[in-house]
């Protein structure tokens, strides 16, 4: 994961950008009002904790003490421990704080090199041997951390060591090597080592066509004398892609699940059968991402009305994890900022089905795809289009995609909240656009909803291509509802140009409304009263309704 770089003021921006240049995909988080960076936050502590818990490497350009205090409450509980560093805002000091086993010292050295200073490394083993023996590079896993710590203590105590197996990253280390050493670092998939051995396992074993049963896979590995740490992943036929039990199995083993029409390795390997399970054992650590493909993911999200604070955390996470983002350009921009490695596919607002099909093509190839809508994706937006495209498709690869819809705050609800509670009793959401349904249907529905005395929320009330429809709709409503009926107009709610108007049905004119407006027409019981300190009244519809 690329690091998050946090700054508190503009004085740190230059150093932050210098660090950022070394890490493609990294983002600079700036305290809002004080500095404009890639992402703005309002509370340093909560932002830091949120990133820490999502396991993101953290580089904070501030006093080490501030970082320690902010993260202290999280340190008792096990869980994520990403690398955390404090860097002086002028770039003169680089202090690794946490995440020794997650490579914090490696980061410290890299950042210090970029800033042309010496890192403040305090880990003894690291200082003595120039590398953290207990933190092998990706593709390798330490067998047992407790044994590892004892091993490093013995090394620090002056004992020699030999290396058995292929450990290219230890070649530059200043280890006290001796062929006849008592201590030994052994690179092997073996589950068992001797007391004097530090076992480091290459992730070089792949289970081919395994059953959806984590315990059985573990037993097969154990029976073959192979460490579970050496398991690089599970490789299954594509037709099993939608098998949830298989995904749960991979999750519980903590390994990736990959799919291929020919489940076999693409590098030199041998295949061993253990208790009916086929294990492919490669000569080198397996680059799992080059093996078949992952199950693709398509997430249809609602951004809410506009302001980022009204976007659900689950939506933000999906956007963070997205490789491709599709949507109407305005909404894609609203969903940003994005990293350079994320691909944005902007399209015209009317190409909903074509966009959905494109999203499935991308997701079926194994990518993590997000389709954005404003408000809620299920309210006159992309979720239904995506499902329509899926139902119409007979492509099994589309149906195997992990599809999810994440809700958002719809414009009617955001507008209602601004005004008070005009939708506090029964109401109806209706789109006045006759692009996708005949105008007669709209009129009929309006007539019945008005007769039923529902409050009405109009989406798509008017546009240049649909100039007369709103006036006609108001005529229908006025046949049943009095001119005193309370009306709320919300324009650009949750966006910088936000404007809220409270008026009456008698005074409402189509000229007061545009395509960025939400029109809420109250029922016969909707009320208004003065709001202290505001020119705009509170509006609400009581919970109770008079009986006959
Ligand atoms: N999925 C969206 C609605 C899309 S239809 C949602 O759930 O909100 C588009 C219509 O929604 C616009 O014509 C306008 O009537 C309304 N709308 C969308 N965003 C709005 C906003 N921020 N303020 C007021 N109305 C908005």
């Amino acid at each position: 994961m690329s690091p998050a770089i946090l700054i508190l003021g503009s004085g740190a921006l230059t150093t932050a950008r210098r660090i950022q240049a070394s890490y493609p995909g990294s983002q600079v988080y700036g305290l809002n009002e004080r500095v404009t960076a890639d992402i703005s936050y309002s509370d340093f502590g909560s932002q830091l904790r949120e990133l820490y818990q999502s396991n993101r490497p953290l580089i904070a350009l501030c006093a080490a003490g501030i970082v320690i205090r902010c993260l202290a409450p999280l340190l008792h509980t096990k869980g994520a421990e990403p690398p955390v560093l404090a860097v002086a805002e002028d770039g003169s000091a680089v202090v690794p704080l946490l995440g020794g086993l997650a490579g914090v010292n490696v980061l410290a050295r890299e950042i210090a090199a970029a800033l042309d200073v010496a890192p403040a490394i305090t880990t003894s083993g690291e200082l003595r041997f120039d590398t953290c023996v207990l933190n092998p590079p990706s593709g390798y896993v330490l067998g047992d951390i407790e044994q590892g710590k004892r091993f490093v203590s013995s090394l620090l105590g002056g004992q020699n060591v030999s290396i058995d197996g292929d450990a290219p990253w230890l070649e530059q280390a200043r280890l006290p090597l001796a062929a006849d050493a008592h201590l030994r670092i052994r690179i092997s998939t073996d589950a068992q080592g001797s007391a004097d051995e530090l076992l480091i396992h290459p992730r070089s074993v792949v289970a081919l066509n395994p059953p959806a049963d984590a315990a059985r896979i573990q037993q097969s590995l154990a029976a073959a004398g192979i460490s579970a740490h050496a398991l690089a992943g599970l490789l299954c036929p594509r037709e099993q892609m939608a098998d949830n039990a298989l995904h749960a199995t991979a999750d519980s083993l903590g390994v990736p699940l990959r799919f291929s029409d020919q489940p076999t390795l693409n590098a030199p390997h041998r295949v061993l059968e253990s208790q009916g399970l086929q294990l492919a054992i490669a000569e080198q650590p397996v680059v799992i991402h080059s093996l078949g493909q992952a199950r693709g993911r398509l997430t249809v999200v609602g951004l809410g009305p506009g302001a980022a604070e009204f976007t659900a955390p689950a939506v933000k996470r999906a956007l963070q994890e997205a490789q491709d983002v599709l949507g109407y350009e305005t909404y894609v921009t609203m969903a940003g900022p994005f990293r350079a490695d994320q691909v944005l596919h902007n399209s015209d607002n009317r190409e909903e089905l074509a966009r959905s099909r494109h999203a499935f093509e991308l997701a079926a190839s194994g990518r993590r795809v997000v389709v954005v809508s404003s408000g809620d994706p299920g309210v006159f937006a992309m979720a239904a289009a995506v499902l329509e495209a899926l139902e119409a498709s007979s492509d099994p690869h589309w149906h195997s995609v992990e599809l999810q819809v994440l809700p958002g705050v719809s414009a009617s609800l955001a507008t209602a909240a601004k005004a008070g509670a005009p939708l506090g009793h029964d109401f109806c959401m209706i789109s006045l656009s006759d692009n996708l349904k005949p105008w007669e249907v709209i009129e009929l529905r309006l007539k019945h909803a008005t007769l039923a005395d529902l409050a009405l929320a109009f989406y798509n009330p008017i546009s240049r291509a649909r100039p007369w429809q709103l006036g006609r709709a108001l005529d229908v409503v006025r046949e049943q509802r009095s001119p005193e009926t309370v009306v709320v107009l919300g324009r650009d709610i949750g966006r910088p140009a936000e404007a809220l108007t409270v008026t009456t049905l008698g005074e409402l004119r189509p000229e007061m409304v545009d395509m960025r407006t939400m029109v809420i027409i109250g029922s016969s019981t909707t009320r208004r009263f003065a709001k202290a300190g505001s020119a705009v009244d509170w509006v609400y519809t009581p919970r109770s309704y008079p009986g006959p």
Side-chain angles (χ1 to χ4, degrees):
M1 232 187 298
S2 58
I5 305 164
L6 285 90
I7 59 175
L8 289 160
S10 53
L13 193 56
T14 313
T15 307
R17 295 292 187 208
R18 280 176 73 193
I19 298 171
Q20 185 179 30
S22 308
Y23 299 101
S26 63
Q27 288 156 313
V28 179
Y29 287 66
L31 182 59
N32 62 11
E33 282 155 21
R34 287 224 227 144
V35 56
T36 308
D38 305 332
I39 292 182
S40 73
Y41 64 85
S42 51
D43 181 80
F44 182 75
S46 7
Q47 182 63 69
L48 199 67
R49 286 187 289 273
E50 185 188 319
L51 290 163
Y52 183 89
Q53 281 169 319
S54 67
N55 209 10
R56 194 92 184 264
L58 295 175
I59 303 165
L61 275 71
C62 64
I66 299 180
V67 182
I68 293 168
R69 275 176 210 286
C70 290
L71 293 180
L74 302 180
L75 300 182
H76 302 292
T77 49
K78 275 220 168 89
E81 181 160 312
V84 180
L85 302 98
V87 174
E89 65 167 43
D90 64 359
S92 61
V94 179
V95 189
L97 295 173
L98 292 167
L101 294 175
V104 74
N105 289 319
V106 175
L107 270 178
R109 287 179 202 282
E110 288 169 1
I111 295 168
L115 298 174
D116 206 16
V117 294
I121 305 277
T122 54
T123 318
S124 327
E126 181 97 24
L127 287 170
R128 182 85 72 84
F129 312 128
D130 239 6
T131 184
C132 179
V133 178
L134 301 182
N135 182 28
S138 77
Y140 297 85
V141 204
L142 181 67
D144 176 353
I145 177 70
E146 290 311 318
Q147 200 235 347
K149 286 179 184 166
R150 288 194 297 274
F151 190 88
V152 171
S153 300
S154 308
L155 279 185
L156 287 170
Q159 295 210 35
N160 289 336
V161 67
S162 66
I163 298 175
D164 177 357
D166 197 12
W169 73 96
L170 289 178
E171 276 161 19
Q172 283 100 35
R174 288 179 306 187
L175 288 169
L177 292 180
D180 61 349
H182 188 56
L183 296 178
R184 185 155 67 140
I185 298 175
R186 189 151 69 90
I187 316 302
S188 164
T189 60
D190 286 359
Q192 297 296 330
S194 73
D196 303 321
E197 270 181 351
L198 179 70
L199 272 182
I200 294 179
H201 307 294
R203 284 189 175 274
S204 57
V205 179
V206 175
L208 305 175
N209 304 319
D213 183 342
R216 262 200 64 198
I217 296 172
Q218 278 164 333
Q219 283 156 15
S220 307
L221 289 167
I226 294 174
S227 163
H229 291 302
L231 188 64
L234 312 180
L235 185 60
C236 298
R238 257 190 98 140
E239 63 260 24
Q240 284 186 306
M241 203 180 257
D243 183 339
N244 292 325
L246 206 51
H247 288 274
T249 302
D251 282 350
S252 80
L253 291 168
V255 296
L257 176 55
R258 308 286 297 183
F259 298 91
S260 165
D261 288 328
Q262 277 105 32
T264 170
L265 294 203
N266 47 7
H269 67 281
R270 65 195 164 91
V271 177
L272 182 150
E273 190 156 324
S274 172
Q275 298 191 338
L277 180 69
Q278 294 221 309
L279 298 169
I281 302 166
E283 290 170 10
Q284 294 292 321
V286 171
V287 183
I288 199 78
H289 298 289
S290 68
L291 211 59
Q293 65 162 86
R295 183 186 192 187
R297 199 166 78 185
L298 174 50
T299 314
V300 190
V301 306
L303 300 173
E309 59 188 315
F310 289 125
T311 304
V315 171
K316 288 187 185 165
R317 201 175 324 122
L319 288 166
Q320 273 281 339
E321 292 170 1
Q323 293 173 304
D324 296 273
V325 181
L326 291 86
Y328 178 44
E329 189 170 358
T330 313
Y331 304 145
V332 172
T333 308
M334 206 163 100
F338 292 102
R339 301 181 304 269
D341 61 296
Q342 297 181 293
V343 186
L344 310 182
H345 310 263
N346 298 324
S347 55
D348 188 87
N349 208 7
R350 280 166 299 232
E351 298 166 5
E352 293 189 343
L353 273 178
R355 187 188 299 152
S356 303
R357 287 192 283 264
H358 186 195
F360 275 111
E361 293 295 344
L362 290 165
S365 76
R367 295 181 66 86
R368 290 188 301 274
V369 182
V370 167
V371 171
V372 296
S373 285
S374 79
D376 183 89
V379 177
F380 311 122
M382 285 306 298
V386 163
L387 286 165
E388 193 176 335
L390 181 60
E391 192 190 13
S393 165
S394 54
D395 187 338
H397 297 151
W398 286 24
H399 287 269
S400 301
V401 163
E402 183 186 352
L403 175 61
Q404 213 186 356
V405 181
L406 300 180
V409 179
S410 192
S412 58
L413 305 182
T415 302
K418 273 277 153 204
L423 306 178
H425 193 76
D426 299 345
F427 68 97
C428 144
M429 289 178 175
I430 181 161
S431 167
L432 296 193
S433 168
D434 55 355
N435 288 338
L436 300 168
K437 61 188 165 186
W439 179 253
E440 297 72 49
V441 172
I442 299 177
E443 270 198 27
L444 188 68
R445 289 183 181 169
L446 277 172
K447 189 173 149 195
H448 286 288
T450 312
L451 271 170
D453 201 20
L454 298 169
L456 308 170
F458 291 167
Y459 287 78
N460 301 311
I462 200 163
S463 77
R464 229 170 296 149
R466 295 179 290 104
W468 55 264
Q469 283 83 340
L470 177 61
R472 184 70 203 112
L474 294 178
D475 290 345
V476 174
V477 175
R478 283 181 179 125
E479 282 169 25
Q480 304 294 334
R481 232 164 258 192
S482 85
E484 288 76 45
T485 304
V486 187
V487 169
V488 174
L489 303 178
R491 183 171 193 272
D492 276 337
I493 294 298
R495 302 177 191 169
E498 171 176 293
L500 186 75
T501 309
V502 175
T503 180
T504 62
L505 188 56
E507 284 163 10
L508 179 60
R509 298 281 168 273
E511 303 78 69
M512 298 158 75
V513 173
D514 68 6
M515 64 183 292
R516 283 147 67 182
T517 308
M518 163 54 53
V519 179
I520 297 179
I521 300 186
S523 71
S524 66
T525 62
T526 303
R527 309 170 58 81
R528 63 193 282 183
F529 64 93
K531 176 181 183 179
S534 168
V536 184
D537 285 353
W538 281 120
V539 177
Y540 76 102
T541 307
R543 305 289 314 281
S544 59
Y545 195 80

